[in-house]
Amino acid sequence: MEVDREFKIVTLGEGRVGKTSLAMRYVRGQFNEKEQSTTNANFLEKNIRINETSIKLNIWDTAGQERFRALAPNYYREAKGALLVYDITDKESFWKVVSWVEELKMQADKDISFVIAGNKCDLELDRQIPKEQAIAYAKQIGAAHYSTSAKSGMGVNECFEEIAKLILDKESRSGSPIRSSKARSRVIVKNQEEVVKKKKSGGCC
Amino acid sequence: MGTASSLVQNTQTPIQFKKGRILLIAPDNRLSKIGIYFVHIVNTAKMIELVDEWEDLLNRYKHSANAIESLLDDFQKGPKLRKLIQKGTPSKFRWETWKALLKAGKKVDSEKYINLPIAGDPHISVIRKDVDRAFPQHPYFDRSKHGYYGQTALYRILGKFAEDKKDIGYCQGMNYVAGFLLMVSGGLEAEVYYFLEALCKNFHYWGFVCEEMPLIKQYLWVFDKLFKVKNSKLYEHFKQQDVLNDMWVFKWFLTFYTAVLPKETVVLLWDWLLVDGLRVLFKVAFAILEMLEEKLLSIDGSEILIMLSNIGDYIPTCKEFIKIAKKTSVNKSKYYDLIEAYKQKKKIKKHPETITIIEEPGHLENEVPNISRADIKEANRPAALEIKDNTPKEPDLLLSPQRIQQEITEDLTGFPFKSIKTAKNNYTYTPKYEPKRDSFHESWTDVNTRINEDSHLYTSDEDFDAEALLDQFLNHSNWGSFE
């Protein structure tokens, strides 16, 4: 199959919010409670078609545990889209999304597109994050918000395809495919390390 | 039923067949009650020969408290031991051998283990999720057959470990290592806990999994340098494709390959690793790269990463692979120079509790403890035991039924899986004290196909049909006749 575009998307979020389940659900169309845990990252791909454009999505599904966080810049630099996942039954996981947004704004590609996914919405009864609050936040940072459930499949395709659409939109507006230059990203990496260190010593979260 | 359980109590003696032996192990010797078994099959002439060789050797030490430990002490001089273990330790002796190699045996204290508290958040919620994701295909962790038995054991090991070793806590990836050890040991929970501790202290594993991960950073740095020299073509290709070592070899090292290679391969790899030290990690990595080089050069970044995270699908079967990996050279002096260089660079902190028995990889070549066989025999004189007593011992964990009951009730109160509701009835964790013949049979054959690395290794050798024998064995009305 011929591919017109190739986009790299990274999933970010606290450990166990369901990043891997979402990605697997999307790519393989199934929910597997027996999913393997992620140590550094999983690498997946899926071919889709949006408005006559065939796109290969490379999904880099990162580990959420705090001690792997220093690795994250390797994954999100060069990424054109980020899926930020939180667990609707876990307040802290939402604050983690907020902190990821801050980090990405500073460190990632300027044109990176965000989508926020409130996962596990099959557990509506245990909800701790009011949907309105999450939507309002997403709006504020110019991102789309989706309620997803890797278990039922709700919102899964939509959120990934939304990212692809956002990236395509940005490309068509800027008139040419966005290409992040390597030279630039190398420089960014250096900065990232510094920032990450600073953040650590500051002791956030 | 009665005959079945009497059979089970006798798990440490292999059942003899004309052309082979079958050994049954029940996890912590209690699970016979709900139908999980670890089955070791010795099914070829070659393997029988090897087991006999071991038994002959161990027989020399039958007067010492732990024959395997004594044997290894005597064999410290290197090549002999290496040769012996690297033929592939017979699975019957593997766990005891590993424990002896890491000096973990003496540390096991089941009573203390039971009373260790389980960690709270942030670790426990990650552990809860991760125990569910370690080797779900393996019968021991198969929820549809045995409820959460394996998961609960793993949960307790990791939870207690995270609480007790605060500087390490829980690191994602440990679930694979501990889960793998549970399978190798035959579900000996307390022993796995202390083995994990010994792995941290005596085998530098702490440096891979503690918060700052100093050693994994060190070894990745060293790996990068070696990679550049060893295979500059591939190195440049990876660089061009933005594939960083962090993205693939990180996981291989962090989990000592338990998460990436087929179990049968990992078992042999660890036989080798625990004797030769951490340099083995490098040899294996380079062996894999060498095997896949051509293919890797022809694909792009994300395809490389996908391939490298599913290497099990691309490399040869276990024994063949290990053979190739052993031939892969990693220049020793260069390797140590690089480690030194890195340490100079970072002025690495030493773990305060680390007792370095294994100073650095390849320790056995350098260090010869000055103990004679006479010393060992003398020291161990009081216990004049039969050799049989040196095979894996039943831990004191579960001496009385009350104790079992108490433990299980405790499990249930703090049970990690309450929130997961499955429609299936067999989800309930409460062990049934009468074995169910059906599940018994099912798990049995399943375990047979999954667990037994020996039969996997030596398939071509003889026409011993273990599965048919097992069937015959299971359907036989008179269990006693096989003993």
Side-chain angles (χ1 to χ4, degrees):
Chain A
M1 183 181 147
E2 208 171 294
V3 178
D4 302 329
R5 290 273 184 284
E6 200 172 324
F7 296 153
K8 189 176 119 184
I9 293 174
V10 63
T11 67
L12 297 167
E14 202 179 48
R16 61 180 294 274
V17 294
K19 297 179 293 300
T20 305
S21 300
L22 274 179
M24 293 287 181
R25 176 86 194 193
Y26 178 59
V27 172
R28 301 191 188 149
Q30 62 193 10
F31 177 70
N32 188 356
E33 278 190 38
K34 296 179 173 183
E35 208 47 74
Q36 297 227 323
S37 48
T38 317
T39 50
N40 49 343
N42 296 323
F43 307 98
L44 302 160
E45 54 185 16
K46 178 159 177 148
N47 291 313
I48 56 168
R49 178 166 282 277
I50 290 174
N51 306 335
E52 305 301 305
T53 315
S54 68
I55 299 168
K56 182 168 148 195
L57 290 182
N58 293 319
I59 300 165
W60 290 19
D61 166 38
T62 66
Q65 207 183 4
E66 189 61 32
R67 69 186 76 188
F68 296 106
R69 187 159 179 161
L71 298 176
N74 290 336
Y75 300 108
Y76 64 63
R77 81 192 171 110
E78 310 258 334
K80 290 176 190 165
L83 181 69
L84 303 158
V85 188
Y86 69 93
D87 172 352
I88 62 161
T89 68
D90 178 354
K91 242 181 205 159
E92 265 180 45
S93 71
F94 185 75
W95 299 126
K96 200 68 157 226
V97 165
V98 176
S99 81
W100 274 119
V101 170
E102 291 308 308
E103 183 168 337
L104 289 175
K105 273 188 187 161
M106 280 195 289
Q107 313 296 337
D109 193 304
K110 253 198 350 282
D111 292 315
I112 193 166
S113 308
F114 302 114
V115 167
I116 297 177
N119 196 31
K120 303 196 188 174
C121 64
D122 48 296
L123 303 174
E124 188 60 46
L125 286 177
D126 298 327
R127 182 185 273 281
Q128 284 193 12
I129 301 291
K131 202 169 173 179
E132 301 72 38
Q133 185 190 347
I135 292 173
Y137 173 73
K139 208 170 173 186
Q140 184 194 326
I141 62 160
H145 179 279
Y146 283 85
S147 292
T148 60
S149 164
K151 200 166 192 170
S152 71
M154 176 183 156
V156 177
N157 289 353
E158 290 81 350
C159 70
F160 280 99
E161 270 156 29
E162 176 69 22
I163 300 180
K165 277 181 203 155
L166 287 173
I167 301 170
L168 266 182
D169 276 359
K170 277 192 184 158
E171 275 194 356
S172 62
R173 251 182 283 144
S174 66
S176 67
I178 299 166
R179 295 211 187 279
S180 38
S181 86
K182 278 191 184 157
R184 194 185 60 187
S185 62
R186 291 264 144 69
V187 175
I188 291 175
V189 172
K190 278 188 185 162
N191 290 338
Q192 276 162 8
E193 275 176 3
E194 280 168 23
V195 173
V196 171
K197 269 179 204 157
K198 267 184 204 164
K199 272 194 178 167
K200 275 205 167 166
S201 59
C204 76
C205 315
Chain B
M1 293 293 172
T3 43
S5 39
S6 73
L7 170 92
V8 160
Q9 277 155 18
N10 202 12
T11 51
Q12 298 307 342
T13 312
I15 301 134
Q16 299 279 348
F17 295 96
K18 206 171 170 188
K19 281 182 183 168
R21 299 166 198 169
I22 293 175
L23 177 69
L24 302 178
I25 298 176
D28 275 345
N29 279 21
R30 61 177 150 175
L31 255 215
S32 51
K33 305 290 197 300
I34 56 169
I36 303 180
Y37 289 91
F38 290 84
V39 184
H40 296 300
I41 302 171
V42 180
N43 63 350
T44 62
K46 218 166 162 187
M47 206 61 210
I48 291 172
E49 207 178 283
L50 190 61
V51 173
D52 286 346
E53 191 184 334
W54 273 76
E55 276 178 350
D56 282 349
L57 274 170
L58 291 173
N59 215 19
R60 292 198 224 150
Y61 300 86
K62 65 181 171 192
H63 295 302
S64 65
N66 187 324
I68 290 185
E69 267 178 28
S70 308
L71 170 72
L72 294 189
D73 278 344
D74 272 9
F75 272 46
Q76 284 285 326
K77 292 187 176 67
K80 239 168 148 187
L81 168 72
R82 197 168 303 129
K83 221 173 136 194
L84 181 72
I85 295 177
Q86 291 183 355
K87 274 189 197 170
T89 321
S91 53
K92 183 181 169 188
F93 301 117
R94 178 169 282 123
W95 181 242
E96 285 299 309
T97 307
W98 286 11
K99 274 197 313 186
L101 281 169
L102 282 194
K103 318 255 185 251
K106 293 198 180 80
K107 294 270 161 53
V108 177
D109 182 346
S110 311
E111 199 63 37
K112 189 179 158 199
Y113 171 76
I114 288 175
N115 295 318
L116 286 173
I118 288 178
D121 268 327
H123 295 306
I124 206 62
S125 55
V126 185
I127 291 172
R128 195 174 295 142
K129 179 118 184 174
D130 274 5
V131 296
D132 230 13
R133 306 199 279 192
F135 309 108
Q137 334 76 342
H138 192 282
Y140 182 61
F141 293 107
D142 188 339
R143 299 191 310 214
S144 64
K145 293 206 174 90
H146 311 299
Y148 286 99
Y149 198 88
Q151 280 84 353
T152 316
L154 186 55
Y155 172 86
R156 280 192 298 252
I157 291 171
L158 296 172
K160 289 174 183 216
F161 196 86
E163 179 66 12
D164 198 51
K165 322 274 177 255
K166 291 236 163 52
D167 53 339
I168 296 173
Y170 173 70
C171 176
Q172 289 193 298
M174 285 169 80
N175 56 333
Y176 293 108
V177 173
F180 169 70
L181 292 173
L182 266 172
M183 295 187 292
V184 173
S185 68
L188 299 174
E189 188 184 323
E191 297 205 0
V192 168
Y193 177 87
Y194 288 100
F195 189 91
L196 202 59
E197 187 181 84
L199 197 66
C200 285
K201 285 186 181 170
N202 303 342
F203 208 73
H204 297 312
Y205 186 54
W206 69 269
F208 288 73
V209 289
C210 69
E211 191 67 44
E212 296 292 320
M213 301 175 158
L215 278 187
I216 203 157
K217 285 176 191 157
Q218 168 187 311
Y219 286 118
L220 283 179
W221 186 85
V222 173
F223 180 83
D224 189 71
K225 303 285 172 217
L226 285 172
F227 187 16
K228 193 172 180 179
V229 180
K230 230 176 135 44
N231 197 335
S232 55
K233 211 165 142 196
L234 202 55
Y235 182 86
E236 285 306 321
H237 179 59
F238 278 17
K239 207 168 168 186
Q240 220 166 31
Q241 297 294 327
D242 281 316
V243 174
L244 308 176
N245 298 335
D246 282 355
M247 298 173 181
W248 53 286
V249 83
F250 180 90
K251 184 174 185 176
W252 299 2
F253 283 10
L254 180 71
T255 61
F256 286 176
Y257 293 96
T258 49
V260 286
L261 289 174
K263 208 161 43 266
E264 296 80 8
T265 313
V266 182
V267 163
L268 292 185
L269 199 159
W270 276 54
D271 274 348
W272 177 28
L273 174 75
L274 294 179
V275 174
D276 275 11
L278 291 166
R279 197 155 57 104
V280 168
L281 298 178
F282 289 77
K283 289 194 174 195
V284 173
F286 286 125
I288 295 169
L289 289 179
E290 228 162 83
M291 278 176 219
L292 305 180
E293 179 177 354
E294 219 170 289
K295 178 92 186 134
L296 287 168
L297 283 170
S298 69
I299 52 183
D300 74 10
S302 64
E303 283 170 326
I304 291 171
L305 290 168
I306 288 171
M307 187 164 178
L308 291 179
S309 42
N310 298 296
I311 37 174
D313 303 343
Y314 299 95
I315 58 165
T317 51
C318 51
K319 218 185 163 197
E320 211 175 312
F321 171 74
I322 296 290
K323 221 186 250 169
I324 299 170
K326 278 181 182 166
K327 283 187 194 139
T328 310
S329 71
V330 172
N331 186 306
K332 205 166 150 186
S333 60
K334 176 123 192 133
Y335 171 82
Y336 288 117
D337 287 350
L338 282 169
I339 289 180
E340 247 348 278
Y342 181 84
K343 281 182 182 163
Q344 287 301 321
K345 218 178 108 195
K346 291 281 169 180
K347 288 271 179 247
I348 207 158
K349 273 189 292 182
K350 257 219 141 125
H351 189 265
E353 273 183 62
T354 306
I355 313 152
T356 312
I357 292 175
I358 292 175
E359 184 38 64
E360 270 303 331
H363 63 294
L364 289 167
E365 294 157 60
N366 316 321
E367 264 181 47
V368 184
N370 202 6
I371 310 165
S372 73
R373 186 180 300 178
D375 290 342
I376 295 163
K377 278 194 177 164
E378 205 47 55
N380 296 320
R381 182 73 71 189
L385 293 170
E386 280 296 296
I387 183 71
K388 266 179 199 162
D389 294 324
N390 296 315
T391 48
K393 283 194 190 102
E394 176 180 340
D396 308 327
L397 256 180
L398 312 145
L399 288 178
S400 65
Q402 288 83 354
R403 174 99 248 182
I404 297 173
Q405 197 50 56
Q406 186 194 346
E407 245 247 323
I408 286 163
T409 332
E410 279 165 14
D411 294 344
L412 286 170
T413 48
F415 197 61
F417 303 104
K418 266 182 188 155
S419 63
I420 303 170
K421 293 179 190 76
T422 54
K424 289 175 193 156
N425 298 331
N426 52 12
Y427 151 68
T428 46
Y429 174 63
T430 327
K432 307 263 183 294
Y433 282 125
E434 282 304 308
K436 268 199 215 151
R437 190 58 188 272
D438 285 345
S439 69
F440 178 65
H441 182 268
E442 212 174 85
S443 64
W444 183 301
T445 44
D446 218 38
V447 170
N448 170 32
T449 55
R450 288 281 183 191
I451 269 198
N452 177 21
E453 66 275 9
D454 297 340
S455 67
H456 185 89
L457 279 180
Y458 299 92
T459 41
S460 60
D461 210 349
E462 288 243 355
D463 58 348
F464 179 82
D465 187 347
E467 212 156 317
L469 273 169
L470 268 175
D471 271 349
Q472 187 191 347
F473 177 54
L474 285 162
N475 296 324
H476 205 286
S477 52
N478 183 4
W479 299 85
S481 71
F482 283 89
E483 286 169 11

